[in-house]
Amino acid sequence: MNNFMAVVSFTLRNKMKTKSFIVTTIIIAVILSIGVNLPYIISQFKSEGGATKVGYTLSNLPEVTEPLKTYFDTNEGTNIHLVSYPDQGSQEGNEQVLKQGIKDGEISGYILLEEDAAAGFPKVTYKSESLMESSVTRTLRTGLQAVKVDYVIKDAQLSDAQKNLLLMPVQIEAAQISVMDNTGTGKTVEQQGLAMGFVYAMIIVLFMGIFITSQLIATEITAEKSSRVMEILVTSVAPLKQMFGKITGMSLVGLLQIVVYILVFLINVSLPHNKDLLAGWNLNLGDIDPLLYVYALVFYLTGYFLYSTLCAAVGSMVSRTEDLAQAMMPITMLALAGFYIGIFGMSSPDSMLIKTASFIPFFSPFAMFLRIGLTTPAWWEIVLSLALLAAAIFVLGWISAKIYRTGVLMYGKRPTFKELRKAMKAYKV
Amino acid sequence: MKPLVLEQVSKQYGEKTAVNRISLEVEAGEIYGLLGANGAGKTTTMRMVLGLIYPDAGNIFYQGRPYSQEQLSMLGYLPEERGMYPKVKISDQIIYLARLRGMNRKDADRNLKLWLEKFNISEYYNMKIEELSKGNQQKIQFIASVIHDPKILILDEAFSGLDPVNVELLKKTVKELRDGGKTILFSTHRMEHVEELCRNITIMHRSNPVIQGNLKDIKKRFPRERVIVGADQPIRGLETVSGVQRVEELENGSGYAVWIDREETAQQLLHYAMKQTVLTRFELLEPTLNEIFIRSVGESNE
């Protein structure tokens, strides 16, 4: 036990002392802070910028442009202001003036209208220097839609109330309910969005955490082998203790890193300006089921132990760090597959693929967590998934330990399975 | 009770026999030499002693007891392929290795400082291995194998790659450890080290122990076949004496080395040479370990 703790603390201390570890942690923390504050930063810029100015030519189909200008002037929130330019006599001349307007910074774009007999409403082109200004075109479309409705129904003699009714978009709300127990009244759209966002973020954290730390374990073991310090290590401490000590130490490193990120995130979120923003969106982190946090931790740890034991076995078979990436390929593929199943499953957490994947140990940390976060799987499904995962960790850990015990003493080219079996027999493990 | 005893120990890798029935006993305060060409089975034997590999047959006893995890703290190992963490501070990794063998941090730190002082390299305490010269890296490696004060020490090619000054320093240290009552199993290719340090040896050849026993007894078993004849004047016709097999002039021209078939031939050689000139030197040499080794191992020595 003493030895085990020595391995754990040595792994922990050495990893945390490396420059790369400190730098990576700081960089990710900074990116995270920026990411959290981004909505606020953007909103700051927006209010300063004011409305987008869009130019048009006075004589260009005034029966459309006049009501459009009135629409944008009367609706404050639309953030578009139409600026008129006098007619120059020719179309080229008109466009020339409008372009000059952009050049002088008076307007950021302009609209051209063209009669379109077939559609019954003019065809509108928005021209600007930027690429795909979707928010501007969307607002323009809304305005034009209103103008069009007015234009079409002006003879139908509808009341204002009827007109408003016509323009009002259809509302549809989706509420997620639980049929397992009758307590829940269903989650609101915001809560669903929050759960979705949380699950999305957690799947990325799961993947990064599991993948990066497992890779690190393999790299460290191969490095110990290639620097031959392994020969001294295996004569000082039982290989099993050494392997699991390393895995445990590294898991603490990974958890510590995640705790740092979470703290950075929480501190940023609780800054006054961000608090207001979140409140404005009706988001409250407390709305997430606390059990989901527990599940996140459980699946992180189980997933980590599953992949890290495998990586330790692979790392022990390779003698040179240059060969490691190639040997790690199958595990990399497995982890990537699990990650993509998780990401694609976001939109359809009830699909057969996700249900099946949530019982396959390599994918279940992603798939089962996704299901728990977005749907309500039966309790026995969760238990079964975790039991399978635990069994897989146990079996693979056992096999990995055997491979490790043999692999650490085999130098030269990467052994084939046949050679490995032979060596295992020879070493009597 | 002898601290380290091997009884008829064998090891097979699949079809190939790596070590075939080796037996040896090492006493406290003794350096036991394990010699052999590359691939003769030395490293496998040492790995079995270290408990890295289990023997297929035979027994290994440490202070009369079979191998167990507890023995690990009693063993010290200097591997042939040197290896430490290149980027970890020396104090950190030596103390770590000592702790793995059951020593507490404080004792390990004290021992490390003593050893660094002994080798006159106290300033390396806070440095990294990669910053040191190769010779100093080896000293650190040596410290790593003795830091926990092991009773049994296994040194695989302890002096390879060191300059003469450092070889002397380490040799002196190994002798001190021997005199301090350690049991040392020692392998090398350098025969002069064995002649200087070891009382008993085993020469292995293709997995088999071919020559075993006390170094002096082994030398007596081999006939003395080399004569050094020293003279200021050239001596002619030495090769015509019956029984002489080969004559070589010494590099500095001060005499000849003569190989003979039997020890008696030396007397006839002496008579013959004395008739020609005044001899400054006449010596019948006992075989060097190098000659014994090459003779018993033959051309397979790479």
Side-chain angles (χ1 to χ4, degrees), chain B residues 175-187:
Chain B
K175 279 182 189 165
E176 281 169 16
L177 287 170
R178 174 193 65 191
D179 298 339
K182 305 269 185 255
T183 302
I184 300 171
L185 190 60
F186 179 86
S187 100

Side-chain angles (χ1 to χ4, degrees), chain A residues 8-22:
Chain A
V8 171
S9 75
F10 184 76
T11 311
L12 198 63
R13 277 155 44 111
N14 271 324
K15 198 72 234 163
M16 277 168 21
K17 266 196 232 160
T18 53
K19 275 201 194 88
S20 60
F21 174 79
I22 298 169

Side-chain angles (χ1 to χ4, degrees), chain B residues 45-201:
Chain B
T45 307
M46 291 190 154
R47 282 184 166 181
M48 284 192 285
V49 174
L50 287 162
L52 287 177
I53 330 169
Y54 302 112
D56 291 331
N59 295 305
I60 303 176
F61 293 107
Y62 311 81
Q63 319 276 15
R65 284 194 298 272
Y67 181 83
S68 69
Q69 277 297 317
E70 287 79 61
Q71 316 283 0
L72 279 182
S73 58
M74 190 164 89
L75 296 173
Y77 177 41
L78 180 70
E80 181 179 4
E81 300 265 6
R82 301 299 135 79
M84 303 287 280
Y85 293 101
K87 290 185 193 307
V88 179
K89 264 202 322 197
I90 283 163
S91 54
D92 279 352
Q93 56 180 315
I94 300 277
I95 291 172
Y96 171 57
L97 291 171
R99 285 186 67 200
L100 288 183
R101 284 164 174 145
M103 205 176 214
N104 70 42
R105 181 177 287 278
K106 226 177 84 208
D107 291 348
D109 191 53
R110 201 194 51 225
N111 272 6
L112 169 63
K113 282 181 177 145
L114 283 178
W115 275 105
L116 288 176
E117 230 166 85
K118 189 180 178 68
F119 287 149
N120 263 326
I121 47 174
S122 295
E123 66 272 24
Y124 295 161
Y125 182 82
N126 273 324
M127 282 169 79
K128 289 173 183 162
I129 279 281
E130 59 182 2
E131 295 165 349
L132 305 189
S133 72
K134 205 167 173 207
N136 284 326
Q137 287 184 14
Q138 296 235 32
K139 286 184 199 165
I140 300 293
Q141 186 90 47
F142 185 83
I143 293 175
S145 64
V146 295
I147 183 81
H148 57 299
D149 198 20
K151 293 207 173 62
I152 299 171
L153 197 55
I154 290 152
L155 306 176
D156 203 350
E157 296 289 344
F159 307 136
S160 70
L162 284 173
D163 66 47
V165 177
N166 282 323
V167 168
E168 281 313 310
L169 180 68
L170 277 195
K171 227 189 303 185
K172 202 177 111 224
T173 314
V174 171
K175 279 182 189 165
E176 281 169 16
L177 287 170
R178 174 193 65 191
D179 298 339
K182 305 269 185 255
T183 302
I184 300 171
L185 190 60
F186 179 86
S187 100
T188 186
H189 293 301
R190 304 285 297 275
M191 299 306 155
E192 70 269 25
H193 295 153
V194 178
E195 294 201 64
E196 191 179 338
L197 296 170
C198 303
R199 200 182 310 156
N200 296 304
I201 61 162

Side-chain angles (χ1 to χ4, degrees), chain A residues 2 44 76 94 208 215 220 245 257 337 340 349 373:
Chain A
N2 211 356
Q44 283 309 94
E76 272 301 312
N94 287 342
M208 299 286 273
Q215 289 264 10
E220 288 227 333
Q257 213 166 10
Y340 279 114

